[in-house]
PDB file of all heavy atoms in Angstrom:
ATOM      1  N   PHE A 213      28.245  26.729 -36.739  1.00 94.00           N
ATOM      2  CA  PHE A 213      27.147  26.057 -37.505  1.00 94.00           C
ATOM      3  C   PHE A 213      27.160  24.497 -37.378  1.00 94.00           C
ATOM      4  O   PHE A 213      26.138  23.930 -37.300  1.00 94.00           O
ATOM      5  CB  PHE A 213      27.213  26.467 -38.973  1.00 94.00           C
ATOM      6  CG  PHE A 213      26.688  27.915 -39.196  1.00 94.00           C
ATOM      7  CD1 PHE A 213      27.520  28.835 -39.780  1.00 94.00           C
ATOM      8  CD2 PHE A 213      25.379  28.251 -38.880  1.00 94.00           C
ATOM      9  CE1 PHE A 213      27.066  30.163 -39.983  1.00 94.00           C
ATOM     10  CE2 PHE A 213      24.933  29.533 -39.098  1.00 94.00           C
ATOM     11  CZ  PHE A 213      25.741  30.482 -39.722  1.00 94.00           C
ATOM     12  N   ASP A 214      28.397  23.995 -37.487  1.00 91.00           N
ATOM     13  CA  ASP A 214      28.483  22.516 -37.394  1.00 91.00           C
ATOM     14  C   ASP A 214      28.042  21.976 -36.016  1.00 91.00           C
ATOM     15  O   ASP A 214      27.467  20.872 -35.912  1.00 91.00           O
ATOM     16  CB  ASP A 214      29.953  22.017 -37.623  1.00 91.00           C
ATOM     17  CG  ASP A 214      30.371  22.205 -39.106  1.00 91.00           C
ATOM     18  OD1 ASP A 214      29.464  22.326 -39.951  1.00 91.00           O
ATOM     19  OD2 ASP A 214      31.537  22.226 -39.391  1.00 91.00           O
ATOM     20  N   LYS A 215      28.295  22.681 -34.927  1.00 88.00           N
ATOM     21  CA  LYS A 215      28.013  22.234 -33.568  1.00 88.00           C
ATOM     22  C   LYS A 215      26.510  22.400 -33.310  1.00 88.00           C
ATOM     23  O   LYS A 215      25.930  21.648 -32.372  1.00 88.00           O
ATOM     24  CB  LYS A 215      28.804  23.047 -32.538  1.00 88.00           C
ATOM     25  CG  LYS A 215      30.218  22.614 -32.473  1.00 88.00           C
ATOM     26  CD  LYS A 215      30.966  23.342 -31.350  1.00 88.00           C
ATOM     27  CE  LYS A 215      32.394  22.836 -31.211  1.00 88.00           C
ATOM     28  NZ  LYS A 215      33.128  23.557 -30.118  1.00 88.00           N
ATOM     29  N   THR A 216      25.841  23.252 -33.952  1.00 80.00           N
ATOM     30  CA  THR A 216      24.495  23.535 -33.709  1.00 80.00           C
ATOM     31  C   THR A 216      23.618  22.583 -34.625  1.00 80.00           C
ATOM     32  O   THR A 216      23.139  22.933 -35.717  1.00 80.00           O
ATOM     33  CB  THR A 216      24.047  25.043 -33.980  1.00 80.00           C
ATOM     34  OG1 THR A 216      25.025  25.917 -33.417  1.00 80.00           O
ATOM     35  CG2 THR A 216      22.656  25.313 -33.498  1.00 80.00           C
ATOM     36  N   GLU A 217      23.423  21.394 -34.158  1.00 62.00           N
ATOM     37  CA  GLU A 217      22.666  20.347 -34.881  1.00 62.00           C
ATOM     38  C   GLU A 217      21.438  20.103 -34.153  1.00 62.00           C
ATOM     39  O   GLU A 217      21.267  20.307 -33.006  1.00 62.00           O
ATOM     40  CB  GLU A 217      23.465  19.127 -35.164  1.00 62.00           C
ATOM     41  CG  GLU A 217      24.773  19.361 -35.907  1.00 62.00           C
ATOM     42  CD  GLU A 217      25.633  18.099 -36.004  1.00 62.00           C
ATOM     43  OE1 GLU A 217      25.300  17.162 -35.341  1.00 62.00           O
ATOM     44  OE2 GLU A 217      26.636  18.132 -36.777  1.00 62.00           O
ATOM     45  N   GLU A 218      20.419  19.512 -34.881  1.00 47.00           N
ATOM     46  CA  GLU A 218      19.138  19.187 -34.284  1.00 47.00           C
ATOM     47  C   GLU A 218      19.336  18.060 -33.302  1.00 47.00           C
ATOM     48  O   GLU A 218      19.885  16.995 -33.664  1.00 47.00           O
ATOM     49  CB  GLU A 218      18.133  18.796 -35.299  1.00 47.00           C
ATOM     50  CG  GLU A 218      16.747  18.510 -34.776  1.00 47.00           C
ATOM     51  CD  GLU A 218      15.737  18.331 -35.846  1.00 47.00           C
ATOM     52  OE1 GLU A 218      16.074  18.394 -37.009  1.00 47.00           O
ATOM     53  OE2 GLU A 218      14.512  18.105 -35.508  1.00 47.00           O
ATOM     54  N   ASP A 219      18.759  18.270 -32.116  1.00 44.00           N
ATOM     55  CA  ASP A 219      18.896  17.230 -31.026  1.00 44.00           C
ATOM     56  C   ASP A 219      17.821  16.210 -31.238  1.00 44.00           C
ATOM     57  O   ASP A 219      16.728  16.487 -31.851  1.00 44.00           O
ATOM     58  CB  ASP A 219      18.760  17.823 -29.677  1.00 44.00           C
ATOM     59  CG  ASP A 219      19.938  18.722 -29.320  1.00 44.00           C
ATOM     60  OD1 ASP A 219      20.996  18.421 -29.873  1.00 44.00           O
ATOM     61  OD2 ASP A 219      19.706  19.722 -28.633  1.00 44.00           O
ATOM     62  N   ASP A 220      17.971  15.036 -30.794  1.00 38.00           N
ATOM     63  CA  ASP A 220      16.918  13.963 -30.875  1.00 38.00           C
ATOM     64  C   ASP A 220      15.705  14.268 -30.046  1.00 38.00           C
ATOM     65  O   ASP A 220      14.642  13.846 -30.258  1.00 38.00           O
ATOM     66  CB  ASP A 220      17.490  12.621 -30.540  1.00 38.00           C
ATOM     67  CG  ASP A 220      18.448  12.126 -31.600  1.00 38.00           C
ATOM     68  OD1 ASP A 220      18.335  12.554 -32.779  1.00 38.00           O
ATOM     69  OD2 ASP A 220      19.390  11.373 -31.255  1.00 38.00           O
ATOM     70  N   ALA A 221      15.991  15.018 -28.913  1.00 41.00           N
ATOM     71  CA  ALA A 221      14.850  15.326 -27.998  1.00 41.00           C
ATOM     72  C   ALA A 221      15.206  16.689 -27.231  1.00 41.00           C
ATOM     73  O   ALA A 221      16.374  17.093 -27.157  1.00 41.00           O
ATOM     74  CB  ALA A 221      14.698  14.262 -26.907  1.00 41.00           C
ATOM     75  N   ASP A 222      14.177  17.273 -26.797  1.00 47.00           N
ATOM     76  CA  ASP A 222      14.339  18.550 -26.077  1.00 47.00           C
ATOM     77  C   ASP A 222      15.055  18.276 -24.759  1.00 47.00           C
ATOM     78  O   ASP A 222      14.761  17.374 -24.009  1.00 47.00           O
ATOM     79  CB  ASP A 222      12.935  19.055 -25.699  1.00 47.00           C
ATOM     80  CG  ASP A 222      12.941  20.426 -25.144  1.00 47.00           C
ATOM     81  OD1 ASP A 222      13.955  20.782 -24.483  1.00 47.00           O
ATOM     82  OD2 ASP A 222      11.967  21.180 -25.364  1.00 47.00           O
ATOM     83  N   PRO A 223      16.209  18.993 -24.452  1.00 47.00           N
ATOM     84  CA  PRO A 223      16.957  18.800 -23.273  1.00 47.00           C
ATOM     85  C   PRO A 223      16.068  18.839 -22.018  1.00 47.00           C
ATOM     86  O   PRO A 223      16.390  18.182 -21.054  1.00 47.00           O
ATOM     87  CB  PRO A 223      18.023  19.964 -23.334  1.00 47.00           C
ATOM     88  CG  PRO A 223      18.194  20.238 -24.782  1.00 47.00           C
ATOM     89  CD  PRO A 223      16.781  20.085 -25.314  1.00 47.00           C
ATOM     90  N   SER A 224      15.135  19.718 -21.986  1.00 46.00           N
ATOM     91  CA  SER A 224      14.256  19.842 -20.838  1.00 46.00           C
ATOM     92  C   SER A 224      13.498  18.635 -20.607  1.00 46.00           C
ATOM     93  O   SER A 224      13.332  18.167 -19.463  1.00 46.00           O
ATOM     94  CB  SER A 224      13.320  21.038 -20.952  1.00 46.00           C
ATOM     95  OG  SER A 224      12.460  20.929 -22.097  1.00 46.00           O
ATOM     96  N   LEU A 225      13.161  17.915 -21.727  1.00 43.00           N
ATOM     97  CA  LEU A 225      12.387  16.655 -21.535  1.00 43.00           C
ATOM     98  C   LEU A 225      13.334  15.591 -20.974  1.00 43.00           C
ATOM     99  O   LEU A 225      12.935  14.766 -20.181  1.00 43.00           O
ATOM    100  CB  LEU A 225      11.889  16.229 -22.976  1.00 43.00           C
ATOM    101  CG  LEU A 225      11.123  14.866 -23.041  1.00 43.00           C
ATOM    102  CD1 LEU A 225       9.957  14.863 -22.086  1.00 43.00           C
ATOM    103  CD2 LEU A 225      10.736  14.525 -24.429  1.00 43.00           C
ATOM    104  N   TRP A 226      14.621  15.627 -21.455  1.00 39.00           N
ATOM    105  CA  TRP A 226      15.496  14.671 -20.982  1.00 39.00           C
ATOM    106  C   TRP A 226      15.796  14.793 -19.387  1.00 39.00           C
ATOM    107  O   TRP A 226      15.933  13.909 -18.650  1.00 39.00           O
ATOM    108  CB  TRP A 226      16.849  14.770 -21.684  1.00 39.00           C
ATOM    109  CG  TRP A 226      16.876  13.986 -23.016  1.00 39.00           C
ATOM    110  CD1 TRP A 226      17.040  14.539 -24.246  1.00 39.00           C
ATOM    111  CD2 TRP A 226      16.728  12.588 -23.184  1.00 39.00           C
ATOM    112  NE1 TRP A 226      16.949  13.588 -25.253  1.00 39.00           N
ATOM    113  CE2 TRP A 226      16.817  12.341 -24.565  1.00 39.00           C
ATOM    114  CE3 TRP A 226      16.566  11.501 -22.305  1.00 39.00           C
ATOM    115  CZ2 TRP A 226      16.689  11.116 -25.096  1.00 39.00           C
ATOM    116  CZ3 TRP A 226      16.486  10.275 -22.881  1.00 39.00           C
ATOM    117  CH2 TRP A 226      16.550  10.008 -24.227  1.00 39.00           C
TER     118      TRP A 226
END
Side-chain angles (χ1 to χ4, degrees):
F213 284 120
D214 287 345
K215 285 184 177 180
T216 312
E217 298 177 353
E218 184 173 2
D219 297 328
D220 291 333
D222 189 329
S224 61
L225 178 59
W226 280 116

